[in-house]
Amino acid sequence: MNVLFLQRRQAITTGGFDFQESLSFWEGLFPETTGRVALLDNLKSFGEKFDVSALQCMFNSQTQILFDVIEKNYDDAYVGSINQALEATSEDVLGWTNYFKPFLVSGMESLYNTIHQCQVVLHPSDLFCYLVSAITKTLFQMSFRVLIAETNASREEGLLKGDDSVARATYYKEGLLKDASYLQTVYSRYQVLTDMMLKKMKVSCEYIESILKDYETNHIIIESELNGGASLRKLVYIRLGEGDTHNRGKSVAIIEFEHGQLVYKPRSLQIEQRYNAFIERINSERIPGFLDIKTIRLKDTGDAGWCEFVKQTPCTNESEVRNYYTRIGELLAIFYLFGSTDFHAENIIACGAHPMIIDMETLFSVGLFEEKVIDESIFNYIGNRLTYSVRSSAILPTIIRNRKAKKKVDLSGLSMEEEQESPYKSFCIMDPDKDTVHMLP
C-alpha cells in the first residue's frame, strides 16, 4: 500500500484542506515535476484564491442525503426490492453492495413509484430490480478504485477482522461497509466521487422515468409508425448504456416489449429525419446503376426519439452479397459529400443486402485543422488531406496502431473482424475476494 496515499487519506479524514500539504503530496507522487514549476505555481495561486468553504458546503448538502438513509423509514417493499437486486448483483460488484445501498435507497424511490404506477409495464417488480442492478454496475465502474484502496488501507490500519485474507475481505464487505459511521467517513473522504455518483444516479432515474412517460403517452403513434400499427404489448425491460451519451450522461437504450424491441435515443432525431428525406429523394430519382438504400424508421418526440430495432441478418446468396457492397460504395460517396465521420463497425448493421446506418450524429463534422496550421508541417498537411478524403467516414479500413507493442486493430465499418486483440493494455482486478485486492495492467 502506498505510504503517501495513507498519509494523504488520514489528513483528509482528520483535518481541513491545506493546499501546501496537498501540493507536496502530489509532488511526492511525481518526482519528475522539476519541469512543471510554472504549473505548480499557478495551482498554488489558484488554491490561495479558491473559496473552499463554499465547495465544502455544497458537498455537505449532497452527502447529507446519504446519511439520512440511516434514519428515514422507507417502504418495506421498496427496500426489499433493492435488497433483492443487490443480492443478484453482488458477484458483479465484487461483494461491495453495502457501499452502494445508501445511494440506491436514497435516490430511487421516485422511479420505484413511477414503474409501479405505469400502465404499460408488464412486471413492475422485475423491471425495477433489473434497473437497480444496471445502475449499481454503473456506480461500481465509477468507484471500484476507491473501494480497492479503502480495503487495503483498512487492512494496513488493522480495522479488519479474520484469520486469513479472505475472511478479512469478507469482514470489510459485510462489517465495515454496514457501519454507518465508517460509510459517512468514506463518503466524506471522497466528496467529489460521492457527488458524481449521486448526480449520475439522479440523471439515470429521471431518464428512465422520461422513457416510461414518453411511451405511455405516445405508444399508439409509435406502434403505428415503427411497428406497422401492430401492438408491441407491454414493456418488459429497459437496457441502458447501448451507445454514446447525450444530455448530461444519458445513453441510448434498448426497450424490450412482449412483441418486439425499439431503440430510444436521448436526443432530437431531426438529423436522421433529414437524412431519410435525402435518401428517399435519391431513391425516387431512379439513377441508372444506383441501388435503393434502406433507412431506419423513426419517431422524433422533441428532445428524444424512437427508432426501429435493426437485427443483423446474413446474406442468403451471392447476389445479395454483391448488392451489399454496392450499397456500401453508395454510402461511401454520400458520406464523402457530407464530410461524415465515425461510421465504424458499431454504427453499421448488415441486414441482408442492406447496410443499415444506426447512428447519424456525425453525419456532418467540423474540420480538425485550421487553414493557417495546415502548411506548418507535412504531418498537418497529410492529416488534413486524410480528414477530407473518403477515409474520413471510417467505412474503409481504419487502423488503430500501437507502434511500441507492434499491434493494431481495424475498427472500420467495412472490414472489422469479429474478434481482434486490443493493441493497448487494459487492467484487471486481482484477488477480488481477498484484503489484498489490487489492479494489474
Side-chain angles (χ1 to χ4, degrees), residues 1-7 9 145-157 190 435-438:
M1 192 68 191
N2 192 303
V3 175
L4 287 171
F5 168 78
L6 289 173
Q7 292 174 345
R9 177 176 172 276
R145 291 173 178 84
V146 159
L147 290 165
I148 290 174
E150 284 297 316
T151 299
N152 283 271
S154 297
R155 184 195 70 246
E156 293 285 342
E157 294 172 350
Y190 303 97
D435 64 350
T436 54
V437 57
H438 59 285

Side-chain angles (χ1 to χ4, degrees), residues 188 262 325 372:
S188 298
L262 293 177
Y325 283 102
K372 63 180 181 180

Side-chain angles (χ1 to χ4, degrees), residues 85-119:
L86 287 176
E87 183 177 350
T89 313
S90 181
E91 185 175 344
D92 294 320
V93 298
L94 305 185
W96 287 319
T97 53
N98 289 310
Y99 174 78
F100 304 108
K101 183 176 177 179
F103 287 93
L104 301 168
V105 174
S106 67
M108 298 193 70
E109 191 173 25
S110 175
L111 177 60
Y112 175 85
N113 292 330
T114 297
I115 289 175
H116 283 77
Q117 294 167 7
C118 185
Q119 299 300 310

Side-chain angles (χ1 to χ4, degrees), residues 333-371:
I334 291 170
F335 294 153
Y336 175 62
L337 173 67
F338 290 155
S340 307
T341 61
D342 207 33
F343 288 97
H344 49 74
E346 292 185 353
N347 286 336
I348 301 178
I349 295 179
C351 188
H354 293 270
M356 304 293 289
I357 309 300
I358 61 172
D359 193 346
M360 287 288 171
E361 62 184 359
T362 55
L363 184 63
F364 302 101
S365 298
V366 178
L368 298 175
F369 295 87
E370 297 181 15
E371 288 292 334

Side-chain angles (χ1 to χ4, degrees), residues 9 13 67 180-190:
R9 177 176 172 276
T13 302
F67 304 156
S181 177
Y182 176 77
L183 279 178
Q184 290 182 17
T185 300
V186 174
Y187 294 149
S188 298
R189 181 178 293 142
Y190 303 97

Side-chain angles (χ1 to χ4, degrees), residues 82-233:
I82 290 180
N83 288 335
Q84 179 184 345
L86 287 176
E87 183 177 350
T89 313
S90 181
E91 185 175 344
D92 294 320
V93 298
L94 305 185
W96 287 319
T97 53
N98 289 310
Y99 174 78
F100 304 108
K101 183 176 177 179
F103 287 93
L104 301 168
V105 174
S106 67
M108 298 193 70
E109 191 173 25
S110 175
L111 177 60
Y112 175 85
N113 292 330
T114 297
I115 289 175
H116 283 77
Q117 294 167 7
C118 185
Q119 299 300 310
V120 296
V121 174
L122 181 62
H123 298 301
S125 296
D126 291 348
L127 176 60
F128 181 72
C129 287
Y130 180 84
L131 293 171
V132 170
S133 177
I135 291 174
T136 302
K137 293 173 186 177
T138 299
L139 298 180
F140 170 79
Q141 291 299 321
M142 298 173 68
S143 60
F144 69 86
R145 291 173 178 84
V146 159
L147 290 165
I148 290 174
E150 284 297 316
T151 299
N152 283 271
S154 297
R155 184 195 70 246
E156 293 285 342
E157 294 172 350
L159 299 177
L160 305 182
K161 299 177 183 179
D163 295 331
D164 55 39
S165 184
V166 174
R168 289 190 293 271
T170 301
Y171 177 80
Y172 180 77
K173 298 169 184 177
E174 300 297 331
L176 277 184
L177 289 182
K178 285 185 177 180
D179 183 88
S181 177
Y182 176 77
L183 279 178
Q184 290 182 17
T185 300
V186 174
Y187 294 149
S188 298
R189 181 178 293 142
Y190 303 97
Q191 292 175 338
V192 174
L193 175 64
T194 298
D195 188 59
M196 290 175 62
M197 291 173 68
L198 283 166
K199 288 178 179 177
K200 179 64 177 178
M201 189 177 61
K202 182 175 184 292
V203 168
S204 297
C205 290
E206 290 177 348
Y207 176 45
I208 295 166
E209 289 188 53
S210 70
I211 294 175
L212 293 171
K213 293 174 181 177
D214 192 346
Y215 184 71
E216 192 168 31
T217 302
N218 300 304
H219 68 95
I220 294 178
I221 191 170
I222 290 171
E223 290 170 338
S224 174
E225 297 191 16
L226 303 185
N227 202 44
S231 174
L232 290 163
R233 301 292 295 271

